[in-house]
Amino acid sequence: SNEEIDMKFAIYQIQLTSAQRNTINESGDFDSVPAFAAKTKMSMDFSGDKIGGLAYDAFDAGYYTHVANIEANSLNEVFQIGNIGPEQNIERLTRMSSISVSNLIIDEEGDTFVVATMGFVGIGVNKSLAA
């Protein structure tokens, strides 16, 4: 049969408060908000060499929010659903933007991946975060 078994993946994003956005706009300084600086550095890591460490540190610093859970069969499918749907595969927990560089995708085993410019970079396993 064609029955596909979907897995659940937790999606984490770095979200800025309006106060943080105002700070950046007023100062013109990305580094004035460490969460935004981390996100910016990740989006500039075109080689994919640094993004794992940046994401790990940003997670450790508490910059990430669990925004949604997505039912899918692979990381690529999570990325696709997080950008174009179908909406019924997405359980939104709070405001969520399209899945992009710097987002974390955590599978049912707790394996954690950061979305990189090209593909995904594993940053370890954390059982307590398992989707």
Side-chain angles (χ1 to χ4, degrees):
S1 78
N2 263 355
E3 196 71 21
E4 294 191 50
I5 310 229
D6 280 347
M7 293 174 288
K8 192 160 137 184
F9 295 86
I11 310 305
Y12 284 74
Q13 297 179 336
I14 294 176
Q15 296 190 329
L16 300 182
T17 62
S18 41
Q20 286 174 318
R21 278 196 291 275
N22 292 342
T23 300
I24 294 162
N25 293 337
E26 287 160 18
S27 66
D29 177 14
F30 295 143
D31 289 331
S32 61
V33 175
F36 187 74
K39 192 174 176 176
T40 305
K41 284 183 189 128
M42 284 187 253
S43 66
M44 300 306 288
D45 178 40
F46 301 114
S47 66
D49 294 340
K50 299 189 188 78
I51 194 164
L54 289 166
Y56 189 91
D57 291 346
F59 189 85
D60 216 36
Y63 299 157
Y64 280 96
T65 302
H66 184 187
V67 297
N69 296 313
I70 290 181
E71 296 272 337
N73 290 299
S74 66
L75 294 172
N76 284 321
E77 196 177 32
V78 170
F79 184 86
Q80 186 181 328
I81 292 168
N83 281 283
I84 59 173
E87 187 60 38
Q88 73 251 25
N89 285 48
I90 307 174
E91 175 196 357
R92 292 173 188 268
L93 305 174
T94 182
R95 184 169 57 84
M96 171 192 173
S97 44
S98 297
I99 293 184
S100 59
V101 173
S102 84
N103 293 182
L104 299 182
I105 302 173
I106 304 175
D107 71 13
E108 291 174 339
E109 304 295 309
D111 286 314
T112 304
F113 300 88
V114 57
V115 179
T117 311
M118 294 294 295
F120 310 92
V121 174
I123 63 168
V125 181
N126 187 331
K127 298 276 188 217
S128 66
L129 300 176

